[in-house]
Amino acid sequence: MSGNNLDLKALGVRGVNAALYALPEGSNEVEWVIDNPRGLHSIACGLDAPISVTVNGHAGFYCGGMNQKADITIRGHAGVGLAENMMSGTVRVTGNASESAGATGCGGLLVIEGDASSRCGISMKGIDIVVGGSIGHMSAFMAQAGHLVVCGDAGDALGDSIYEAILFVRGTVASLGADCIEKEMRPEHLNKLAELLKSAGIDAEPGEFRRYGSARKLYNFDIDNAY
Amino acid sequence: MCGIVGLYLKNTDLRPQLGALFEPMLVEMTDRGPDSAGFAIYRNTVEQAQTKFTLACNDPDNQWKSIDTDMESALECNVTVQILGDHAILVTDADADGVQNWLRENRPEIRIVGSGRSIEIFKQTGLPQDVADQFDLAKAQGSHAIGHTRMATESAVTTAGSHPFATGLDLCLVHNGSLSNHNRLRRKLERKGIVFQTENDTEVAAGYMTSKLAQGETLIQTLEAARKDLDGFYTFCIGTAEGFAVMRDPIACKHAVMAETDDWVAMATEYRAIAHLPGADTARIWEPEPDRIYTWGHVQ
């Protein structure tokens, strides 16, 4: 490994994050490895530099949160709120992710190679999320913009109260949430899906997916919806 | 908040180290629950004809005095007592109901914390590390343990209000979450003869399970019924004589993570409580699904 190793056990979460924040703009030290994460929270949060960070083990809550520009890989499992509110860059987890992965994300790419739990992509605002496995219930709740790609199955109430995010699911959907419907897969969607799968490095046939999105009956004011 | 942890050792070679492996799990959850802590250890199974009681009282100096000889002469039985802090492990071949009646009449300040053939329950207010030290957790051997660190939200911070709560012979419950229909359910259960020591919501869930199990239902049937009758948020971990079970409510907003290797199965509110276990870095790790009952060991 040609990069720099940061021992989280010795430095603590604040120490590790501070070392990454302290990099001057344009630094040549772009490869970083964080050892001994031991499931601690807020590892590699708030990064704002085009660096590559590998978390060597399982991470706790909020790993990679608010990320801008950085390319973060977690070699293991990620806890609640993985890459929440990500702005740009890439976050990848090689194992499974707990609930609320990619929550409120505004941009960038989140790749979960295993399964994501409930509320994946809740309130997403432009982030692209690609899940190699399945996702849990209430995923893409109030999802506003961006794409959620699921190579496995989706749990109950997918896309409840969804706005304009676009959902692609290859497997079964346990149930759709309010105002979420299946939509026609047009060529531009197949192209976008192929591009997302390629970026994520996941080998799947776009033609096997179905598209889901908003019926647009809930978020426009309609007097018949009033009680 | 609150933190819950469970560890079941599949590899019997690890069993002498149960406490050493389990204590850091409990202590790691301190900032989720610094008010009080408790744990159930399954160890030293007694003979078929014997019952093991975990007892606790606020006045150990007086209450434990001559309890063994007094009970032996009153109930014509054999009694051994091992005192650990303000708890005591009492093993006897006397009829369990007779023991309970005798304690009620002769040692009314003593609380029965748990009973069975292998379970021992210890709980106390204070930081988890202090509670663990008080009861020599680090040195404990055994097959499995479940524990709880409490941040009280709905009832007083007392030893009696700490978890685990016993739900029957060799059974106990820890809970992360809050129940919203516990007052009505408590009144219903009281009419059926279930006695409650606190205003705690989890004690009601435990009483509910005790009532179902006493009617002859299996633990799985009891948990299935609990899903319908308990309203609120919960991740439950239930210790049994030979393993443990985990169940989350259908919304599943109370965290839980599980990990398994060839040597052990662990559950915790957060993964960091599991990280120190041998082989955790390559363990299979996943989040338990809502509304699904997971069991390890022999659970019916």
Side-chain angles (χ1 to χ4, degrees):
Chain A
M1 173 75 222
S2 58
N4 304 285
N5 284 59
L6 297 168
D7 183 358
L8 200 146
K9 202 167 188 174
L11 297 169
V13 174
R14 280 169 190 265
V16 163
N17 288 346
L20 297 174
Y21 300 155
L23 291 172
E25 203 173 327
S27 169
N28 287 328
E29 303 204 343
V30 294
E31 297 275 330
W32 293 85
V33 176
I34 298 173
D35 292 316
N36 292 315
R38 295 165 298 136
L40 295 183
H41 302 333
S42 308
I43 296 169
C45 270
L47 300 186
D48 187 13
I51 56 173
S52 166
V53 177
T54 299
V55 179
N56 222 351
H58 308 301
F61 294 8
Y62 318 124
C63 185
M66 303 174 284
N67 182 45
Q68 298 195 86
K69 303 175 200 155
D71 180 0
I72 301 169
T73 299
I74 299 140
R75 299 210 170 279
H77 175 90
V80 173
L82 169 68
E84 56 145 17
N85 214 59
M86 177 155 67
M87 304 303 287
S88 63
T90 305
V91 172
R92 174 184 291 273
V93 57
T94 61
N96 299 328
S98 285
E99 51 204 274
S100 304
T104 75
C106 293
L109 174 68
L110 169 61
V111 182
I112 297 159
E113 294 185 1
D115 296 328
S117 179
S118 60
R119 305 174 187 87
C120 180
I122 184 170
S123 197
M124 54 193 278
K125 299 184 177 80
I127 189 174
D128 291 326
I129 305 174
V130 181
V131 183
S134 298
I135 59 173
H137 66 287
M138 295 296 285
S139 288
F141 176 67
M142 295 187 82
Q144 291 145 58
H147 301 84
L148 172 61
V149 179
V150 183
C151 298
D153 303 326
D156 277 314
L158 175 70
D160 192 284
S161 307
I162 189 171
Y163 291 83
E164 288 302 310
I166 297 172
L167 317 179
F168 298 109
V169 182
R170 182 160 68 170
T172 58
V173 174
S175 66
L176 291 170
D179 211 35
C180 185
I181 55 168
E182 184 175 350
K183 293 184 156 183
E184 180 195 1
M185 185 79 102
R186 297 195 295 268
E188 67 265 33
H189 301 122
L190 286 168
N191 290 341
K192 181 68 190 179
L193 178 54
E195 177 196 319
L196 289 166
L197 288 165
K198 187 163 178 254
S199 308
I202 289 179
D203 185 21
E205 175 53 51
E208 294 173 358
F209 287 74
R210 290 161 176 256
R211 177 168 75 103
Y212 303 87
S214 178
R216 300 181 178 129
K217 288 185 175 162
L218 195 59
Y219 71 78
N220 290 308
F221 179 74
D222 181 342
I223 190 63
D224 290 336
N225 288 339
Y227 288 104
Chain B
M1 291 292 259
C2 297
I4 61 177
V5 289
L7 177 64
Y8 175 75
L9 299 175
K10 295 196 271 186
N11 181 347
T12 50
D13 293 345
L14 287 174
R15 292 185 176 178
Q17 303 169 49
L18 176 70
L21 295 169
F22 181 76
E23 185 187 271
M25 296 182 73
L26 191 75
V27 172
E28 186 65 38
M29 290 293 95
T30 297
D31 46 8
R32 296 195 67 91
D35 294 341
S36 55
F39 49 90
I41 310 171
Y42 291 82
R43 60 178 171 188
N44 304 336
T45 308
V46 299
E47 298 294 323
Q48 190 81 44
Q50 295 178 311
T51 309
K52 173 158 61 169
F53 289 91
T54 307
L55 308 176
C57 72
N58 298 332
D59 179 22
D61 289 344
N62 290 318
Q63 295 291 321
W64 302 143
K65 200 185 293 173
S66 72
I67 186 171
D68 47 353
T69 48
D70 288 0
M71 192 183 284
E72 277 177 341
S73 56
L75 300 178
E76 295 178 356
C77 63
N78 295 308
V79 174
T80 59
V81 175
Q82 183 199 353
I83 294 166
L84 273 160
D86 59 3
H87 285 42
I89 304 299
L90 183 148
V91 177
T92 177
D93 53 4
D95 171 64
D97 290 340
V99 172
Q100 289 183 36
N101 292 335
W102 185 87
L103 285 168
R104 199 179 306 126
E105 283 162 22
N106 298 282
R107 295 286 197 283
E109 287 176 35
I110 290 179
R111 300 184 304 276
I112 298 176
V113 184
S115 63
R117 289 181 57 217
S118 60
I119 193 170
E120 296 177 19
I121 298 177
F122 303 97
K123 52 189 188 177
Q124 187 56 273
T125 55
L127 289 169
Q129 183 67 65
D130 296 340
V131 177
D133 290 345
Q134 191 179 338
F135 300 112
D136 266 344
L137 176 58
K139 294 194 192 107
Q141 53 77 33
S143 53
H144 56 297
I146 67 172
H148 186 271
T149 62
R150 181 167 185 235
M151 187 178 283
T153 51
E154 46 57 64
S155 62
V157 177
T158 60
T159 300
S162 311
H163 304 217
F165 288 99
T167 57
L169 293 176
D170 282 323
L171 286 164
C172 70
L173 171 70
V174 295
H175 171 208
N176 175 22
S178 58
L179 301 176
S180 44
N181 64 340
H182 63 102
N183 282 328
R184 178 177 296 184
L185 199 52
R186 183 186 290 110
R187 287 195 293 273
K188 264 190 192 172
L189 291 164
E190 278 171 344
R191 283 199 290 275
K192 287 184 182 171
I194 303 280
V195 178
F196 294 96
Q197 296 177 0
T198 71
E199 293 297 304
N200 186 286
D201 58 342
T202 308
E203 191 186 12
V204 175
Y208 174 88
M209 291 181 191
T210 303
S211 165
K212 288 279 177 198
L213 291 161
Q215 288 165 25
E217 301 208 5
T218 64
L219 180 63
I220 300 293
Q221 287 168 336
T222 298
L223 291 175
E224 281 168 355
R227 284 199 294 219
K228 294 189 189 77
D229 291 335
L230 299 179
D231 186 19
F233 298 122
Y234 52 83
T235 294
F236 288 137
C237 184
I238 299 107
T240 76
E242 292 171 34
F244 68 81
V246 171
M247 184 172 80
R248 303 175 81 191
D249 70 75
I251 303 293
C253 65
K254 289 295 170 187
H255 308 308
V257 66
M258 300 203 289
E260 183 165 16
T261 69
D262 290 343
D263 291 335
W264 47 262
V265 176
M267 81 81 56
T269 306
E270 299 178 25
Y271 171 76
R272 63 189 163 112
I274 295 172
H276 67 282
L277 293 176
D281 48 349
T282 53
R284 187 167 81 89
I285 297 173
W286 76 102
E287 188 176 316
E289 289 178 21
D291 214 13
R292 181 173 157 186
I293 301 165
Y294 295 81
T295 60
W296 282 272
H298 182 68
V299 176
Q300 285 185 320

